[in-house]
Amino acid sequence: MFKLPLINAVIFVLLLAGCTSKPREVSASIPLVSASQTKPTEKEIPSQYWSLLSNPQQSSLEHEKYKIELEALYISALGTPCRELKITDETENVEKRVACEIPFINANNEADKAWFMEKQIIESSAYIEL
């Protein structure tokens, strides 16, 4: 006669204990993405622009051929500083590109870093019909 309420009470206490204990803490022992040690294959930006790209207060770059606006500096998923560039040419065509400061090991086997133009992201204004 007392077995059913006792069993219900035990189940209730076990459920309550399961819901109140915190989950185990997990920490990664290795990084999910490893950075390359070789020099990137992307186009290297001339060194005269590196300090301007690194400066968070800088909002534009002077260039003889293009009008270049700089978006806010951010940290990429790989942990490198990056900026989106809005590049307008003489015919008013606007192209958005991303530049990142990427560390690598140079030819002298020393740690180095430089700003590179990332590969272009293709944008399309056409709709896809399924």
Side-chain angles (χ1 to χ4, degrees):
M1 190 176 226
F2 288 101
K3 286 186 179 183
L4 190 57
L6 183 59
I7 292 173
N8 287 343
V10 170
I11 291 173
F12 177 75
V13 169
L14 289 175
L15 285 174
L16 188 60
C19 293
T20 58
S21 61
K22 74 176 193 172
R24 63 185 173 101
E25 292 182 26
V26 179
S27 63
S29 59
I30 58 172
L32 294 176
V33 179
S34 60
S36 175
Q37 296 295 313
T38 60
K39 189 172 183 176
T41 58
E42 288 90 352
K43 180 160 177 42
E44 186 172 336
I45 295 173
S47 59
Q48 68 195 37
Y49 298 112
W50 295 357
S51 63
L52 299 172
L53 288 167
S54 298
N55 182 353
Q57 273 69 44
Q58 191 72 30
S59 62
S60 65
L61 292 179
E62 292 292 326
H63 192 275
E64 60 199 35
K65 229 172 130 180
Y66 304 106
K67 176 185 171 192
I68 303 173
E69 296 176 40
L70 304 175
E71 296 295 324
L73 194 63
Y74 67 92
I75 303 300
S76 74
L78 291 173
T80 61
C82 295
R83 290 191 103 150
E84 185 176 298
L85 312 177
K86 184 178 165 187
I87 304 167
T88 308
D89 65 13
E90 295 134 354
T91 61
E92 299 297 315
N93 289 330
V94 178
E95 187 176 326
K96 289 185 179 180
R97 299 290 300 272
V98 174
C100 294
E101 185 181 40
I102 303 173
F104 60 92
I105 303 297
N106 65 20
N108 298 328
N109 207 24
E110 297 170 342
D112 202 353
K113 60 183 176 179
W115 280 86
F116 294 89
M117 192 75 76
E118 292 293 327
K119 292 180 180 148
Q120 189 169 6
I121 298 171
I122 299 172
E123 293 182 5
S124 174
S125 61
Y127 292 103
I128 298 173
E129 291 184 33
L130 298 177

